[in-house]
PDB file of all heavy atoms in Angstrom:
ATOM      1  N   LEU A 349      -2.485 -13.531  13.175  1.00 98.00           N
ATOM      2  CA  LEU A 349      -3.810 -13.516  12.555  1.00 98.00           C
ATOM      3  C   LEU A 349      -4.482 -14.885  12.615  1.00 98.00           C
ATOM      4  O   LEU A 349      -5.693 -14.984  12.836  1.00 98.00           O
ATOM      5  CB  LEU A 349      -3.692 -13.048  11.105  1.00 98.00           C
ATOM      6  CG  LEU A 349      -3.265 -11.583  10.922  1.00 98.00           C
ATOM      7  CD1 LEU A 349      -3.044 -11.278   9.451  1.00 98.00           C
ATOM      8  CD2 LEU A 349      -4.302 -10.639  11.518  1.00 98.00           C
ATOM      9  N   ARG A 350      -3.717 -15.936  12.446  1.00 98.00           N
ATOM     10  CA  ARG A 350      -4.303 -17.277  12.504  1.00 98.00           C
ATOM     11  C   ARG A 350      -4.763 -17.612  13.923  1.00 98.00           C
ATOM     12  O   ARG A 350      -5.843 -18.184  14.119  1.00 98.00           O
ATOM     13  CB  ARG A 350      -3.290 -18.303  12.001  1.00 98.00           C
ATOM     14  CG  ARG A 350      -2.901 -18.099  10.540  1.00 98.00           C
ATOM     15  CD  ARG A 350      -1.989 -19.188  10.035  1.00 98.00           C
ATOM     16  NE  ARG A 350      -2.685 -20.458   9.923  1.00 98.00           N
ATOM     17  CZ  ARG A 350      -2.101 -21.608   9.593  1.00 98.00           C
ATOM     18  NH1 ARG A 350      -0.795 -21.621   9.344  1.00 98.00           N
ATOM     19  NH2 ARG A 350      -2.787 -22.708   9.493  1.00 98.00           N
ATOM     20  N   GLU A 351      -3.970 -17.218  14.920  1.00 98.00           N
ATOM     21  CA  GLU A 351      -4.375 -17.489  16.300  1.00 98.00           C
ATOM     22  C   GLU A 351      -5.555 -16.609  16.704  1.00 98.00           C
ATOM     23  O   GLU A 351      -6.425 -17.039  17.461  1.00 98.00           O
ATOM     24  CB  GLU A 351      -3.204 -17.276  17.251  1.00 98.00           C
ATOM     25  CG  GLU A 351      -3.532 -17.714  18.671  1.00 98.00           C
ATOM     26  CD  GLU A 351      -2.330 -17.708  19.584  1.00 98.00           C
ATOM     27  OE1 GLU A 351      -1.194 -17.603  19.085  1.00 98.00           O
ATOM     28  OE2 GLU A 351      -2.533 -17.804  20.812  1.00 98.00           O
ATOM     29  N   LEU A 352      -5.576 -15.386  16.197  1.00 98.00           N
ATOM     30  CA  LEU A 352      -6.718 -14.511  16.467  1.00 98.00           C
ATOM     31  C   LEU A 352      -8.013 -15.160  15.987  1.00 98.00           C
ATOM     32  O   LEU A 352      -9.038 -15.141  16.685  1.00 98.00           O
ATOM     33  CB  LEU A 352      -6.513 -13.163  15.767  1.00 98.00           C
ATOM     34  CG  LEU A 352      -7.656 -12.157  15.891  1.00 98.00           C
ATOM     35  CD1 LEU A 352      -7.768 -11.641  17.319  1.00 98.00           C
ATOM     36  CD2 LEU A 352      -7.466 -10.995  14.916  1.00 98.00           C
ATOM     37  N   ALA A 353      -7.978 -15.729  14.798  1.00 97.00           N
ATOM     38  CA  ALA A 353      -9.161 -16.394  14.255  1.00 97.00           C
ATOM     39  C   ALA A 353      -9.598 -17.552  15.140  1.00 97.00           C
ATOM     40  O   ALA A 353     -10.794 -17.751  15.385  1.00 97.00           O
ATOM     41  CB  ALA A 353      -8.884 -16.873  12.837  1.00 97.00           C
ATOM     42  N   ASP A 354      -8.641 -18.320  15.639  1.00 97.00           N
ATOM     43  CA  ASP A 354      -8.974 -19.484  16.461  1.00 97.00           C
ATOM     44  C   ASP A 354      -9.517 -19.083  17.830  1.00 97.00           C
ATOM     45  O   ASP A 354     -10.466 -19.695  18.337  1.00 97.00           O
ATOM     46  CB  ASP A 354      -7.738 -20.374  16.635  1.00 97.00           C
ATOM     47  CG  ASP A 354      -7.356 -21.090  15.344  1.00 97.00           C
ATOM     48  OD1 ASP A 354      -8.241 -21.286  14.494  1.00 97.00           O
ATOM     49  OD2 ASP A 354      -6.169 -21.440  15.190  1.00 97.00           O
ATOM     50  N   THR A 355      -8.914 -18.064  18.449  1.00 97.00           N
ATOM     51  CA  THR A 355      -9.315 -17.700  19.811  1.00 97.00           C
ATOM     52  C   THR A 355     -10.564 -16.830  19.857  1.00 97.00           C
ATOM     53  O   THR A 355     -11.248 -16.785  20.882  1.00 97.00           O
ATOM     54  CB  THR A 355      -8.172 -16.969  20.537  1.00 97.00           C
ATOM     55  OG1 THR A 355      -7.814 -15.802  19.799  1.00 97.00           O
ATOM     56  CG2 THR A 355      -6.951 -17.871  20.684  1.00 97.00           C
ATOM     57  N   ARG A 356     -10.886 -16.137  18.756  1.00 96.00           N
ATOM     58  CA  ARG A 356     -12.034 -15.235  18.738  1.00 96.00           C
ATOM     59  C   ARG A 356     -13.177 -15.736  17.862  1.00 96.00           C
ATOM     60  O   ARG A 356     -14.130 -14.991  17.596  1.00 96.00           O
ATOM     61  CB  ARG A 356     -11.592 -13.851  18.252  1.00 96.00           C
ATOM     62  CG  ARG A 356     -10.531 -13.221  19.144  1.00 96.00           C
ATOM     63  CD  ARG A 356     -11.106 -12.787  20.473  1.00 96.00           C
ATOM     64  NE  ARG A 356     -10.065 -12.333  21.386  1.00 96.00           N
ATOM     65  CZ  ARG A 356     -10.291 -11.712  22.537  1.00 96.00           C
ATOM     66  NH1 ARG A 356     -11.534 -11.468  22.903  1.00 96.00           N
ATOM     67  NH2 ARG A 356      -9.290 -11.354  23.318  1.00 96.00           N
ATOM     68  N   GLY A 357     -13.102 -16.964  17.423  1.00 95.00           N
ATOM     69  CA  GLY A 357     -14.180 -17.518  16.625  1.00 95.00           C
ATOM     70  C   GLY A 357     -14.313 -16.890  15.251  1.00 95.00           C
ATOM     71  O   GLY A 357     -15.418 -16.774  14.720  1.00 95.00           O
ATOM     72  N   LEU A 358     -13.196 -16.504  14.649  1.00 97.00           N
ATOM     73  CA  LEU A 358     -13.221 -15.804  13.367  1.00 97.00           C
ATOM     74  C   LEU A 358     -12.718 -16.647  12.202  1.00 97.00           C
ATOM     75  O   LEU A 358     -12.468 -16.120  11.116  1.00 97.00           O
ATOM     76  CB  LEU A 358     -12.377 -14.523  13.465  1.00 97.00           C
ATOM     77  CG  LEU A 358     -12.869 -13.504  14.493  1.00 97.00           C
ATOM     78  CD1 LEU A 358     -11.907 -12.340  14.603  1.00 97.00           C
ATOM     79  CD2 LEU A 358     -14.267 -13.022  14.131  1.00 97.00           C
ATOM     80  N   ARG A 359     -12.554 -17.933  12.420  1.00 96.00           N
ATOM     81  CA  ARG A 359     -12.132 -18.786  11.310  1.00 96.00           C
ATOM     82  C   ARG A 359     -13.190 -18.750  10.209  1.00 96.00           C
ATOM     83  O   ARG A 359     -14.373 -18.931  10.455  1.00 96.00           O
ATOM     84  CB  ARG A 359     -11.911 -20.215  11.808  1.00 96.00           C
ATOM     85  CG  ARG A 359     -11.442 -21.185  10.736  1.00 96.00           C
ATOM     86  CD  ARG A 359     -11.054 -22.531  11.332  1.00 96.00           C
ATOM     87  NE  ARG A 359      -9.758 -22.443  12.000  1.00 96.00           N
ATOM     88  CZ  ARG A 359      -8.588 -22.607  11.392  1.00 96.00           C
ATOM     89  NH1 ARG A 359      -8.551 -22.863  10.082  1.00 96.00           N
ATOM     90  NH2 ARG A 359      -7.468 -22.525  12.069  1.00 96.00           N
ATOM     91  N   GLY A 360     -12.746 -18.499   8.988  1.00 96.00           N
ATOM     92  CA  GLY A 360     -13.661 -18.372   7.864  1.00 96.00           C
ATOM     93  C   GLY A 360     -14.094 -16.949   7.587  1.00 96.00           C
ATOM     94  O   GLY A 360     -14.818 -16.685   6.622  1.00 96.00           O
ATOM     95  N   ALA A 361     -13.661 -15.979   8.427  1.00 97.00           N
ATOM     96  CA  ALA A 361     -14.008 -14.573   8.194  1.00 97.00           C
ATOM     97  C   ALA A 361     -13.325 -14.052   6.942  1.00 97.00           C
ATOM     98  O   ALA A 361     -12.297 -14.585   6.495  1.00 97.00           O
ATOM     99  CB  ALA A 361     -13.622 -13.732   9.404  1.00 97.00           C
ATOM    100  N   LEU A 362     -13.886 -12.991   6.386  1.00 98.00           N
ATOM    101  CA  LEU A 362     -13.299 -12.334   5.222  1.00 98.00           C
ATOM    102  C   LEU A 362     -12.181 -11.417   5.705  1.00 98.00           C
ATOM    103  O   LEU A 362     -12.383 -10.599   6.605  1.00 98.00           O
ATOM    104  CB  LEU A 362     -14.371 -11.530   4.501  1.00 98.00           C
ATOM    105  CG  LEU A 362     -13.998 -10.907   3.156  1.00 98.00           C
ATOM    106  CD1 LEU A 362     -13.722 -11.983   2.122  1.00 98.00           C
ATOM    107  CD2 LEU A 362     -15.126  -9.984   2.678  1.00 98.00           C
TER     108      LEU A 362
END
Side-chain angles (χ1 to χ4, degrees):
L349 293 174
R350 297 185 69 185
E351 187 171 347
L352 177 69
D354 289 335
T355 58
R356 300 289 173 169
L358 298 175
R359 181 172 284 273
L362 187 66

